[in-house]
Amino acid sequence: MDDDGTRGARGSSADRFPGPALPPPPTTPPRVPAPAAGPRPAATPVEQRPTRTGPASQAEQPLPGAPVDVWLRTPRPPQEPGVWRYGYTPPPPEEPEGVSNRSLLVGALISLLSALLLWSLWRNGYLPYRLVPLKLFTPGEWWNPGTSGGPRTIEGSDALTVYEAILFGLLAYGCGRIGNFSELFRRHVADRGQPFLALAAAAAAGLTQLLVWKEALPVVRPVLVLVASVAGGEIYQSQTVVNIIYAVIAAAVLYPFARLGRWRELIAARRGTAAPAPDGTAVPPVAATSADQWPELRTAGWTDAADTLTAEVRTGRMNDVDVARLRHAWALATRRPDRLAPLAEAVLRTGGAAVLHPSGHRDLPRRGARHDVLTGQVRIGRCADDPHNPYVRRGTGLALDPALLGTSLLAVGPPGAGKTARLIRPVVEALALRALAGQAAVLAVGGAGAPLGPDDAFDVVVRVGHPGSAHDIDLYGGTTDPDEAAAVLAEGLVGDVGSLDSRRAATVLAQLLGPYRAAHGHFPSVPELRELLDGTPAALAGLRTSLEAAGHHTMLRELDARSRQAGGPGDPAPALADRVALLDRPAFTGFFATGPDARPFSLRALGQHPLRVRVDLPERGHAEASRLLTRLLLAQFTAITAARTDTTLFACLVLDDATHAVTAETVRGIRRLRSVNAGAVLALRTVDDVPETLHTPLLGAVGCTAAFSGITTWDGKRFAEAWGKEWVETREVAQHTVFADQPFTRALHALRKLVTGKAVTTDAVTVRQVERERWSASELAYAVPAGHAVIRLATVDGEHAPPLLVHLDG
């Protein structure tokens, strides 16, 4: 990245946007090649696109030519925390646990055989009193005497025919209900889809038609009898009427099978009137309201600006970042009515390129995850189909957004578990896109070579210890208050030393920083600060002389107090000097400079500009110095974000390795971030990288936690305690041996034991409610598959989701 001027002056102040020199803003929207003639391709839903393992292209955003308007109109219904909202479709209601396929088939077969046996007994006259109900409702002269006497007249034969048809229908209905044939059909026929469903229904319809016309099923004769009784027997003298009756019977028999086989839908699909998506996936439903028409602008009366943006969207000259940026700009302008007219004028003049990010970029060079910039979500995985996950969350996408990151996130997993590639980088990428939309600022800190994104995806890249770095780090956080600078610097230098009080260390630093700034107008550089902490006589004498010459008597008292306390018991100055010595190395020559000519990058710029900043630390050659700087950046971030007055910009700090960076003061600072629209993402190899006294406070301070596969049972125990317990229903089955009293029963039991080899037992089932851990320590250590993580989410509004097992594909 180019620097602002000469190489010697690195960095930026808080009130100036850092970065390379920017070209003038374009006066016309960018030219996009017009789409080829022909029908526009259907927009592929983001949710159904395959996961990319290499450098991602722009496939996850709408392609030029039309998908932006479809993407903009796709519904995003409000859901529980972490649900990927883009095109979300709720799952079908959970079905109760049914019987097994074997039991279902056996039950259906027994029901069918029983019905056939009963019908055979009926037809052959083996059932007594079978005609009594019919004789009660018909004239007695139609029947022979006796309860089993048959019909005497033609009318009695016709009544018996209709009576048998009615009984056959009732028998068939009862057989289907008892045998659960509907469930059997759904499992083994309907669930297999087309065309198997249509073919199976057609085969069943052909067999039924054959049985009907062979009069194996009582359908034809009862219908003819009923028609004759209503219209008279003379109706059968016309062959045309008879053919019509036969056709109606055939159609009536065929109609139920056509409905079951969904023949109409299959024919319509074959004709192309209801063709599915080319890839076989369902296209997300489109909202009824036309969001690409920019209704908020039209409601406010800016119709010309709305028409301009609508044309930009439909011609493909705007991307999703442009839409999010302009929507955010309009929302801010509505709070200041004097900004509405300039914004509308900029839209009319430059279209989708209005109110660009100060870098001039409208998108990232590459995307490696699935993003919905309109809601700020980044999809990091899919909830597994696991009993630990609620039914409504199984199979749904899991996404992170600023409402979740505002509670801060702690990710714990061993090296190689995928924390950086599958969680940290997607989060940094999403925040960078949100920064381009003017809604966030991100500071990503990692080791040199960490895959946090390419250089051209950031506005500022600080390479500590690299001679080609265009920016520095301000050790004092850009403040001019010596006490504030001393408090933050002390936390970064010795905040991890449990035996040393950071407040005493801050007092020592303030006794030196205040006099030095009063004498020289700026804070000391690293070598000068080291000499002052070591108590070098020449350095202290020179500082005293400068103060006496300038007449700073108050600061002279501060310096005298430091001289009296130096060398006393518990003096933190030697420990501070040792830590400062880690930064006073030849590799860092030229870095951490102060004075009028030095312009190191200050974290205060994050609260004022939508910056994208990456800091590369020299972890390989200077591990302790890297941990010190990580701790210092975390302390500066929590202090600066808590003190800012304008909290409209979401600020987030992402630490790829937070080992030994968490202190008691930073834990308190992390707890305050959610109230100032800020958050922190911390990645650890193990919870033991944090002092033991801070394990519980840290897990309580963050709202989102992620336990990756491969953690130890000790770490799993801490997560299990933090996630709490839930009430579950347990089912206990106890088998008790049955003792028979009768000789015949004992003989049967003995015979059964001789055949099966097991004693006769009975089951005693006990169902009760017990309180159990959501995830136990052993399950977190051994039951989480590779490439998965158990993630618990919470929002700044207090909503929360239970710990979910997620397959990470970020």
Side-chain angles (χ1 to χ4, degrees):
M1 180 176 286
D2 299 331
D3 51 16
D4 296 325
T6 61
R7 171 63 184 85
R10 295 191 290 255
S12 171
S13 60
D15 57 351
R16 184 174 179 274
F17 187 89
L22 304 179
T27 58
T28 58
R31 297 292 181 182
V32 179
R40 289 159 60 176
T44 304
V46 176
E47 177 68 22
Q48 303 293 341
R49 292 175 184 158
T51 304
R52 305 178 185 274
T53 56
S57 63
Q58 304 294 337
E60 299 303 334
Q61 67 178 2
L63 300 174
V68 178
D69 57 353
V70 178
W71 167 84
L72 189 56
R73 295 196 306 269
T74 301
R76 297 161 175 85
Q79 293 297 323
E80 296 179 1
V83 175
W84 175 251
R85 294 168 51 191
Y86 177 79
Y88 174 79
T89 302
E94 184 177 8
E95 298 180 357
E97 184 178 356
V99 297
S100 62
N101 290 331
R102 179 178 178 180
S103 300
L104 192 63
L105 291 173
V106 171
L109 181 60
I110 292 176
S111 176
L112 179 61
L113 294 177
S114 301
L116 291 176
L117 176 62
L118 187 61
W119 183 247
S120 177
L121 295 176
W122 169 274
R123 294 295 299 269
N124 292 297
Y126 289 108
L127 295 180
Y129 311 106
R130 63 190 185 96
L131 298 180
V132 171
L134 180 61
K135 291 181 179 182
L136 292 176
F137 296 95
T138 55
E141 61 268 14
W142 288 5
W143 310 97
N144 292 320
T147 56
S148 60
R152 178 189 298 177
T153 63
I154 298 297
E155 291 81 359
S157 299
D158 293 343
L160 180 59
T161 300
V162 176
Y163 178 59
E164 288 183 346
I166 294 174
L167 290 180
F168 180 82
L170 294 176
L171 181 62
Y173 177 78
C175 174
R177 294 284 295 182
I178 296 174
N180 206 0
F181 279 87
S182 60
E183 178 66 15
L184 185 66
F185 175 80
R186 186 190 64 81
R187 286 192 190 183
H188 300 282
V189 180
D191 287 351
R192 300 184 65 174
Q194 301 286 13
F196 180 81
L197 175 60
L199 294 177
L207 178 61
T208 304
Q209 291 280 8
L210 178 63
L211 296 177
V212 166
W213 297 113
K214 290 291 185 180
E215 296 191 1
L217 300 179
V219 175
V220 178
R221 289 189 62 189
V223 171
L224 296 177
V225 168
L226 290 175
V227 172
S229 64
V230 173
E234 296 80 4
I235 193 174
Y236 296 119
Q237 295 179 1
S238 173
Q239 186 63 35
T240 303
V241 174
V242 173
N243 293 336
I244 291 175
I245 294 175
Y246 285 163
V248 171
I249 294 174
V253 173
L254 194 64
Y255 177 74
F257 296 97
R259 289 290 302 272
L260 290 176
R262 301 174 185 172
W263 294 351
R264 183 177 181 180
E265 298 176 9
L266 180 62
I267 294 174
R270 295 296 182 184
R271 290 180 177 177
T273 57
D279 57 353
T281 58
V283 178
V286 177
T289 57
S290 183
D292 62 329
Q293 296 284 340
W294 300 86
E296 60 273 13
L297 273 70
R298 299 183 187 276
T299 304
W302 301 98
T303 307
D304 295 341
D307 292 338
T308 301
L309 294 179
T310 301
E312 293 276 298
V313 169
R314 293 187 174 180
T315 56
R317 296 196 294 181
M318 286 180 64
N319 60 14
D320 52 353
V321 178
D322 295 331
V323 173
R325 186 185 68 251
L326 289 173
R327 280 176 171 265
H328 179 66
W330 179 261
L332 293 180
T334 54
R335 304 174 187 175
R336 300 274 303 271
D338 57 317
R339 296 183 179 181
L340 292 176
L343 177 60
E345 182 181 354
V347 169
L348 292 174
R349 185 176 65 254
T350 60
V355 292
L356 278 178
H357 186 264
S359 65
H361 298 160
R362 299 174 64 176
D363 201 353
L364 297 179
R366 292 185 301 276
R367 297 192 189 186
R370 303 179 184 181
H371 300 273
D372 185 19
V373 188
L374 204 60
T375 58
Q377 286 190 317
V378 54
R379 187 181 183 279
I380 63 172
R382 181 183 295 274
C383 296
D385 187 5
D386 186 88
H388 286 91
N389 293 343
Y391 171 77
V392 295
R393 299 301 297 268
R394 298 175 190 174
T396 61
L398 189 87
L400 298 176
D401 56 57
L404 298 171
L405 298 178
T407 64
S408 298
L409 185 148
L410 176 66
V412 179
K419 299 189 301 297
T420 300
R422 299 181 178 183
L423 180 64
I424 299 299
R425 175 162 180 172
V427 168
V428 173
E429 197 173 86
L431 292 172
L433 287 171
R434 203 162 180 82
L436 291 178
Q439 304 176 40
V442 56
L443 171 62
V445 181
L452 299 180
D455 292 353
D456 47 1
F458 296 91
D459 303 310
V460 176
V461 177
V462 181
R463 296 183 177 90
V464 180
H466 193 284
S469 177
H471 301 277
D472 267 352
I473 292 180
D474 188 354
L475 294 180
Y476 305 100
T479 183
T480 58
D481 184 0
D483 293 327
E484 181 182 351
V488 175
L489 185 58
E491 195 65 32
L493 292 176
V494 295
D496 61 329
V497 181
S499 59
L500 190 61
D501 188 358
S502 59
R503 289 174 296 181
R504 291 193 61 187
T507 301
V508 171
L509 288 172
Q511 290 172 345
L512 296 174
L513 297 181
Y516 191 94
R517 178 172 179 79
H520 301 281
H522 58 82
F523 291 120
S525 61
V526 169
E528 295 169 335
L529 179 60
R530 181 183 180 185
E531 292 180 353
L532 293 174
L533 289 172
D534 282 333
T536 304
L540 293 176
L543 180 57
R544 181 181 298 276
T545 302
S546 300
L547 291 173
E548 292 175 349
H552 295 291
H553 301 290
T554 304
M555 293 303 171
L556 279 173
R557 289 196 300 269
E558 286 285 300
L559 190 60
D560 292 337
R562 171 86 288 270
S563 300
R564 290 193 303 268
Q565 297 171 3
D571 183 17
L576 291 170
D578 292 340
R579 290 300 178 89
V580 173
L582 296 174
L583 304 179
D584 189 18
R585 305 298 302 165
F588 302 136
T589 302
F591 282 83
F592 317 121
T594 58
D597 297 331
R599 295 185 301 156
F601 171 73
S602 173
L603 264 64
R604 293 188 179 272
L606 290 174
Q608 303 177 11
H609 305 287
L611 281 175
R612 302 168 295 166
V613 184
R614 193 188 78 205
V615 178
D616 295 343
L617 301 175
E619 289 185 346
R620 295 182 179 178
H622 303 275
E624 288 298 326
S626 298
R627 294 174 180 175
L628 187 153
L629 292 174
T630 302
R631 192 163 53 249
L632 178 62
L633 291 174
L634 178 57
Q636 288 185 357
F637 180 82
T638 56
I640 291 172
T641 53
R644 62 176 181 164
T645 56
D646 185 6
T647 59
T648 57
L649 197 68
F650 178 73
C652 188
L653 170 67
V654 181
L655 298 182
D656 185 48
D657 185 6
T659 303
H660 300 296
V662 179
T663 64
E665 183 61 32
T666 54
V667 168
R668 286 190 287 269
I670 290 173
R671 190 178 290 111
R672 293 191 298 264
L673 290 179
R674 66 178 66 191
S675 62
V676 292
N677 196 22
V681 179
L682 312 178
L684 295 171
R685 296 181 178 90
T686 174
V687 182
D688 289 331
D689 289 338
V690 177
E692 185 175 359
T693 56
L694 297 179
H695 290 173
T696 301
L698 177 60
L699 290 173
V702 297
C704 303
T705 49
F708 283 71
S709 61
I711 65 173
T712 63
T713 53
W714 292 275
D715 287 344
K717 180 181 179 181
R718 298 182 181 97
F719 280 109
E721 292 176 351
W723 292 339
K725 299 180 180 180
E726 63 179 345
W727 288 98
V728 297
E729 184 179 278
T730 62
R731 185 183 182 91
E732 298 178 357
V733 180
Q735 293 184 340
H736 303 285
T737 303
V738 178
F739 297 98
D741 296 331
Q742 302 299 324
F744 180 72
T745 308
R746 286 200 298 268
L748 290 178
H749 288 185
L751 178 62
R752 179 175 175 180
K753 184 176 181 180
L754 181 63
V755 174
T756 62
K758 297 180 180 180
V760 180
T761 60
T762 182
D763 294 341
V765 180
T766 303
V767 178
R768 58 180 180 176
Q769 295 282 339
V770 297
E771 193 176 21
R772 288 185 177 176
E773 294 176 332
R774 301 178 185 271
W775 281 83
S776 66
S778 59
E779 287 176 331
L780 290 172
Y782 303 109
V784 179
H788 291 66
V790 180
I791 302 178
R792 187 256 185 186
L793 301 175
T795 67
V796 293
D797 296 330
E799 298 183 64
H800 59 85
L804 303 171
L805 179 63
V806 181
H807 176 250
L808 301 170
D809 55 10

